[in-house]
Amino acid sequence: MNSLHQTGGVEQAALTEAHAIQRLEASVQRLEQSERLQRALFAIVDMAASGLDMQNLLKGLHGIIAQLMYAENFYIALYDPQTETVRFIYFADVMDGQLYGPDQEFTAEQLRNTITLALIRNGQPRRGASDEVASSLGLDRSSAVGTPSVDFMGVPMRRDGQVMGLLTVQSYESGQGYTQSDQNVLAFVAEHVLNAVDRKLGQEALERRVADRTSELACANARLQEQVREGERAAHLQATLYRIAALGHSQDGNEAFYRNIHLAVGELLNAENFYIALVSDDEQRLDFPYYVDGAGARLIARPWGRGMSEYAIRQGQTVLMDGIGIRALMEGGEVDAATYGPEAVCWMGAPLLGSKGVMGVVVLQSYRRGLSYTEQDADLLTFVSYQIASTLQRRQQDAALQTLNAQLEQRVTERTRELREQITAREQTQRQLRHQVMHDPLTGLPNRVYLRDRLERALGNQQRDPGRRFALLYLDVDRFKLFNDGLGHLVGDDVLREVARRIADCVRAPDVVGRLSGDEFAILLEHCPQPSTACLVAQRIQAGMTQSVRVGDRALHVSVSIGIAMSHAGYRTVDQLLHDADTALYRAKEAGRQRFVLFDEKLHASAMNLLDLEQQMRAALETGQFVPYFQPIVRLPDAGVVGYESLIRWRHPERGVLGPGTFLRAAEETGLIEAIDWHLYGPAFQAARGFLGDDKVLNINISPRHFHSRNFPRRLLDLLDRAGIAARQLCVEVTEGTLLSNPDAVGKVLASLDEAGVQIALDDFGTGYSSLSHVHRFPLRTLKIDRSFIEPLGLGQQQRSSAIVSAVLSLARSLDLNVVAEGVETALQRDALQAMGCAHAQGFLFGRPAPADHWLLGN
């Protein structure tokens, strides 16, 4: 029995010890977390006190918070209760980039449907998925700005109980979420962040007050000087200072110079015991160039230590002390008794302030009990020390200048001889450099710098004489990238040299042919009164390119596209002229290459319209004007719907609903297409969920720009998952031009989507350069026959189209691919396709694109 009791006691003790260890570990974790938080707060305080500007301060605060939690996506919003406006003074987001600028100020009306304004008004922290947070705040997410996040956490920043802003972190990836502990930490840090921001905002006001105070002190000092000058002693002091200043230009030796300084000071103060100590250049030694001491003390150079002289230098201000004070310094360890000579009744030393700091000290001391110095004497010595320091610096500078002059005189003779030898070589080098700077090393033609200089002169001549018109031809070698990528850069260089030679053969002096960069050339026709002259030169150049270029054993056919800009009085800068010629060149290449285009007002208006359209599209993004429409894809035998294609529409506030043909090309050119697509994908998935069911497929179009992002598949699948749509019910459509743009990058993205179960469709099949090669290279599941092959089927011109469609259907059946015929608008086209065995189609015959509500009601 005793044994059992003992065993039970041991187990109970072990259990108690285990609980104690767990409590200790939990306590350690809490202490570690508290220590991290404490370090973060110290770092915030230190950063607020630093000299960083506002944006670098905020970036540093971002880094500090990122040490406490996941904060890759982070922003700080400041709220002004008086004006009810919000500024996003810091915004970092991997998805939305710089959505808000730090200087932009938004009204409550502009932010009325945003989580930011809602949290500021609510005044309570929130966390969770952004859509869930928005719903809990009663917000409508259909017109939300920005990308929805997987996890969101926002904490108000308060001052005296009033909300003054918001601190927010968010995550777009699953597994990177936030806990209640994170929320508590962020809420605790928020007040310190607000204090740091307030402190930085108040810095300018403080600096202004300091400047005002400095001005006041300067005025007070001026008044003090005026009072000193009014007294007899002030007049004597001024005369002494002039004497000391004059010593800086004297040619006396050091002994005489310092003795005269001593005599000058002695006229103002009792200087029977006087010395000057100077800090060596390396600040490791103290030198005594002059001293007079009635007690017979000898002052020699010594290593930097803890003497009275060093003490005054360290203080940086005049020191006045009696014997008791000196002994107190010794007892406190400030002064080493070993470096102190005879005990003085009174010791007074003023630091010599130079441009680089304290350069030394001037000292007066008394060994007689009847002689002591006063605070007024200390002020006077301080004033005199400024002039002594200035004189010493001037004398040192003069000595250094004399040394330099002597060295310079010695070197002048040597250098003159060297320069004479170098002048000839330099002139030759300058001629070579001038040619190299102004000419292209590959072709030998003038370069962009030379051409811009000639264009500047031509513009100046025309402004002086409006009748002297000229023309600028901007040339580009068609498909030059194929030569470089396919045959190598050496072959490309040979092609450029030959092209340059042929272009130069087509003009005569004083016209200039230049290479701007890569495969771009330009021609300045100095005297070109009529556009027809420039057009004739362009025709002559294109004719000169008809003969093949021989490179090794290859015969390459080269062509050029040309843009022409004629000078007129409206041109003020070379950049305007180059821009218009480049615009004309772009139109020439767009029209099919191997041609020339003359820039006119129509092209100018087109370029301006593009800029205006870009601004309107940016405004449309901010206000949610882009919306998804849907068009059904049907089975031909029974017209049953198998899926829908999501198509973009722009609900323009003035022009009504616009189709993609009016703006999509401009969106691609300006780079806005990515933001527009991401703005559209989420709403399209959410809307389509209501009518897709479990068996229908949603088709979306993918811009080529998305294939530059490795994160595109993951981001798209996350949106799909949040909408509750299976990956197998999504089909992405890509064009053949997209596949050609960067096959390797496109292949990786498509493979990732295919692996996730997403279907891939090749849109506008048959219109590209190598349609059959795409079928084998990429993981395609569907071919969409371009409408250009479908349209003739209903017009009695179907023989050629029927052959092409039949060939596509045969190819698809052999490769087990689906086929969808696009643009089916008539029953004749439908019957013809059905007779050839086409199973699926899409077009106005089965349904026009319409909003999601239309198809929801139809179901």
Side-chain angles (χ1 to χ4, degrees):
M1 180 65 69
N2 289 335
S3 176
L4 290 175
H5 281 302
Q6 291 174 355
T7 302
V10 170
E11 291 177 350
Q12 182 62 33
L15 184 59
T16 301
E17 183 178 357
H19 287 317
I21 292 173
Q22 290 177 352
R23 288 194 298 273
L24 286 174
E25 290 176 346
S27 176
V28 168
Q29 291 177 353
R30 287 194 299 271
L31 286 173
E32 289 176 347
Q33 182 179 6
S34 176
E35 184 179 357
R36 286 197 303 271
L37 182 58
Q38 191 68 30
R39 285 199 301 268
L41 295 181
F42 284 147
I44 291 173
V45 172
D46 290 342
M47 191 166 294
S50 69
L52 296 174
D53 58 35
M54 177 62 79
Q55 282 304 307
N56 282 323
L57 170 68
L58 296 176
K59 188 175 182 181
L61 294 177
H62 182 188
I64 293 170
I65 292 174
Q67 296 175 7
L68 301 174
M69 64 190 69
Y70 175 74
E72 186 176 9
N73 307 290
F74 170 79
Y75 70 83
I76 301 175
L78 285 187
Y79 175 65
D80 187 342
Q82 301 297 325
T83 61
E84 291 190 340
T85 56
V86 176
R87 280 196 309 127
F88 295 85
I89 62 172
Y90 184 80
F91 193 93
D93 195 284
V94 298
M95 294 299 182
D96 295 328
Q98 289 297 327
L99 188 59
Y100 302 105
D103 296 325
Q104 289 179 286
E105 195 170 71
F106 297 88
T107 64
E109 177 60 24
Q110 290 174 310
L111 301 176
R112 59 187 175 84
N113 198 35
T114 63
I115 294 178
T116 299
L117 183 61
L119 282 179
I120 289 173
R121 288 178 169 175
N122 179 269
Q124 298 299 320
R126 292 291 176 94
R127 61 186 176 88
S130 59
D131 288 341
E132 295 174 359
V133 172
S135 297
S136 69
L137 294 170
L139 300 178
D140 180 12
R141 297 301 286 166
S142 62
S143 59
V145 177
T147 305
S149 58
V150 175
D151 204 358
F152 172 95
M153 183 166 64
V155 174
M157 297 188 295
R158 299 177 182 275
R159 185 192 302 117
D160 299 329
Q162 186 172 16
V163 176
M164 303 304 295
L166 189 68
L167 208 62
T168 302
V169 293
Q170 53 188 332
S171 169
Y172 297 104
E173 299 181 8
S174 299
Q176 291 285 2
Y178 304 101
T179 64
Q180 181 62 43
S181 176
D182 292 335
Q183 180 177 314
N184 295 338
V185 169
L186 193 62
F188 189 68
V189 170
E191 180 181 352
H192 295 78
V193 171
L194 180 61
N195 290 339
V197 172
D198 285 344
R199 182 171 182 177
K200 185 57 66 175
L201 291 175
Q203 185 172 352
E204 288 187 357
L206 176 61
E207 291 175 351
R208 287 193 296 271
R209 290 196 297 273
V210 169
D212 293 341
R213 182 57 180 161
T214 301
S215 177
E216 293 174 3
L217 290 175
C219 293
N221 186 45
R223 289 193 299 271
L224 177 62
Q225 291 181 1
E226 184 64 23
Q227 293 171 3
V228 172
R229 282 193 294 270
E230 290 175 358
E232 295 181 357
R233 189 176 182 189
H236 189 191
L237 173 63
Q238 193 67 35
T240 303
L241 294 177
Y242 284 144
R243 284 178 55 194
I244 295 174
L247 292 175
H249 301 288
S250 70
Q251 301 300 317
D252 296 337
N254 286 338
E255 181 65 27
F257 167 74
Y258 286 115
R259 184 169 59 253
N260 288 328
I261 292 286
H262 183 194
L263 292 174
V265 174
E267 293 180 5
L268 301 173
L269 297 166
N270 187 302
E272 61 187 34
N273 302 293
F274 173 90
Y275 70 82
I276 291 177
L278 298 178
V279 181
S280 63
D281 292 338
D282 60 2
E283 299 182 355
Q284 300 297 314
R285 191 180 70 255
L286 197 64
D287 295 323
F288 298 89
Y290 180 84
Y291 68 92
V292 172
D293 193 273
R298 296 186 59 196
L299 301 178
I300 59 175
R302 67 167 184 255
W304 180 265
R306 303 192 70 81
M308 283 297 296
S309 299
E310 290 93 328
Y311 176 76
I313 292 173
R314 289 198 303 271
Q315 296 301 308
Q317 59 186 7
T318 300
V319 173
L320 175 60
M321 197 162 291
D322 57 14
I324 296 174
I326 295 173
R327 286 192 292 274
L329 288 179
M330 293 179 182
E331 293 172 359
E334 290 287 346
V335 173
D336 186 358
T339 62
Y340 187 63
E343 184 174 347
V345 173
C346 188
W347 191 96
M348 181 170 63
L352 301 173
L353 302 176
S355 59
K356 297 182 180 180
V358 180
M359 58 187 297
V361 63
V362 55
V363 176
L364 282 73
Q365 50 188 336
S366 169
Y367 300 118
R368 293 187 287 134
R369 297 198 175 278
L371 175 62
S372 295
Y373 299 107
T374 65
E375 291 292 342
Q376 185 178 4
D377 294 335
D379 292 339
L380 185 58
L381 183 61
T382 301
F383 201 70
V384 172
S385 70
Y386 297 151
Q387 189 61 59
I388 295 175
S390 177
T391 303
L392 278 173
Q393 282 190 115
R394 190 180 302 116
R395 185 175 177 84
Q396 291 172 352
Q397 292 168 358
D398 289 345
L401 183 60
Q402 290 176 4
T403 302
L404 288 175
N405 286 337
Q407 295 174 350
L408 182 60
E409 289 177 1
Q410 181 180 357
R411 293 188 59 190
V412 163
T413 304
E414 300 174 358
R415 189 57 179 161
T416 301
R417 176 178 52 80
E418 294 175 359
L419 288 175
R420 287 173 180 170
E421 296 174 354
Q422 293 174 3
I423 284 174
T424 303
R426 180 173 295 178
E427 289 176 347
Q428 181 179 359
T429 302
Q430 286 177 344
R431 287 193 294 271
Q432 294 174 349
L433 288 175
R434 189 179 300 111
H435 184 274
Q436 292 174 1
V437 168
M438 305 295 280
H439 288 75
D440 171 47
L442 177 65
T443 63
L445 294 177
N447 59 14
R448 181 183 292 272
V449 176
Y450 184 93
L451 187 67
R452 286 183 68 93
D453 179 67
R454 289 292 296 270
L455 286 171
E456 292 280 5
R457 295 186 202 174
L459 280 175
N461 291 336
Q462 181 181 277
Q463 291 170 0
R464 288 187 294 272
D465 181 6
R468 294 187 61 177
R469 298 190 68 191
F470 62 94
L472 176 65
L473 279 65
Y474 210 135
L475 294 81
D476 183 286
V477 179
D478 296 331
R479 298 190 302 276
F480 179 72
K481 190 174 185 297
L482 295 178
F483 298 137
N484 262 353
D485 294 347
L487 303 177
H489 289 279
L490 293 179
V491 171
D493 290 346
D494 289 339
V495 170
L496 290 177
R497 279 191 285 265
E498 180 61 21
V499 168
R501 186 190 66 76
R502 294 187 185 186
I503 295 174
D505 289 343
C506 295
V507 298
R508 62 181 66 88
D511 301 333
V512 179
V513 178
R515 181 187 178 206
L516 301 183
S517 64
D519 61 327
E520 295 180 353
F521 297 84
I523 301 174
L524 170 63
L525 302 180
E526 288 271 15
H527 304 293
C528 187
Q530 299 295 331
S532 58
T533 304
C535 294
L536 287 174
V537 173
Q539 291 173 347
R540 191 159 61 239
I541 292 172
Q542 289 182 332
M545 297 297 168
T546 56
Q547 186 177 359
S548 62
V549 177
R550 299 293 304 183
V551 180
D553 58 349
R554 296 178 179 273
L556 305 177
H557 295 278
V558 180
S559 64
V560 295
S561 298
I562 306 174
I564 304 172
M566 296 295 299
S567 67
H568 56 74
Y571 286 123
R572 289 291 179 267
T573 66
V574 172
D575 289 330
Q576 291 175 324
L577 189 66
L578 288 169
H579 174 270
D580 290 350
D582 186 46
T583 300
L585 172 61
Y586 178 79
R587 296 303 181 194
K589 296 183 76 68
E590 189 180 52
R593 300 185 175 90
Q594 199 173 352
R595 62 189 65 209
F596 63 88
V597 170
L598 183 66
F599 184 85
D600 55 15
E601 289 302 319
K602 183 178 179 182
L603 287 180
H604 176 73
S606 175
M608 295 304 295
N609 288 339
L610 179 61
L611 290 174
D612 183 57
L613 186 58
E614 179 183 357
Q615 296 303 317
Q616 293 184 37
M617 287 190 293
R618 291 187 184 277
L621 268 174
E622 294 178 1
T623 55
Q625 296 174 18
F626 293 108
V627 296
Y629 273 41
F630 302 90
Q631 184 178 33
I633 302 171
V634 304
R635 290 187 301 270
L636 281 176
D638 58 0
V641 177
V642 298
Y644 296 86
E645 180 178 355
S646 174
L647 302 167
I648 187 172
R649 291 294 184 270
W650 182 358
R651 288 179 178 166
H652 198 284
E654 299 174 359
R655 301 168 60 188
V657 178
L658 304 180
T662 61
F663 63 88
L664 209 56
R665 177 176 166 187
E668 288 281 2
E669 291 181 7
T670 58
L672 289 174
I673 187 64
E674 287 185 84
I676 292 174
D677 279 351
W678 285 120
H679 177 81
L680 204 66
Y681 288 155
F685 292 164
Q686 294 290 344
R689 181 175 55 183
F691 52 79
L692 279 184
D694 295 329
D695 57 341
K696 296 181 181 64
V697 176
L698 177 65
N699 287 32
I700 62 172
N701 293 280
I702 305 298
S703 166
R705 291 179 177 270
H706 288 299
F707 292 96
H708 297 294
S709 173
R710 291 180 296 178
N711 193 41
F712 172 73
R714 184 69 269 155
R715 187 176 175 187
L716 185 67
L717 291 171
D718 286 345
L719 281 178
L720 199 66
D721 184 59
R722 283 198 291 270
I725 299 175
R728 59 179 174 78
Q729 290 184 268
L730 179 66
C731 178
V732 297
E733 296 187 12
V734 294
T735 63
E736 296 185 60
T738 299
L739 301 182
L740 280 172
S741 62
N742 190 345
D744 293 335
V746 172
K748 291 178 181 178
V749 172
L750 292 183
S752 179
L753 290 172
D754 178 65
E755 184 179 351
V758 176
Q759 302 181 41
I760 314 296
L762 180 58
D763 199 10
D764 302 333
F765 182 75
T767 60
Y769 294 103
S770 54
S771 301
L772 294 179
S773 65
H774 301 331
V775 176
H776 291 283
R777 182 169 185 178
F778 300 99
L780 304 175
R781 298 193 193 180
T782 301
L783 303 179
K784 300 191 75 174
I785 304 176
D786 187 68
R787 64 176 59 246
S788 62
F789 301 116
I790 306 303
E791 185 177 4
L793 296 180
L795 301 176
Q797 304 171 359
Q798 60 183 9
Q799 182 176 358
R800 182 178 177 85
S801 293
S802 296
I804 294 174
V805 173
S806 296
V808 172
L809 291 171
S810 178
L811 172 68
R813 281 192 293 269
S814 64
L815 297 176
D816 194 23
L817 296 176
N818 297 323
V819 174
V820 176
E822 294 185 295
V824 179
E825 299 182 357
T826 66
L828 291 175
Q829 293 170 342
R830 177 197 62 196
D831 296 341
L833 288 168
Q834 191 169 355
M836 285 185 281
C838 183
H840 299 94
Q842 177 182 351
F844 290 170
L845 180 64
F846 311 108
R848 292 178 176 270
D853 292 345
H854 173 82
W855 304 110
L856 284 170
L857 294 174
N859 288 343

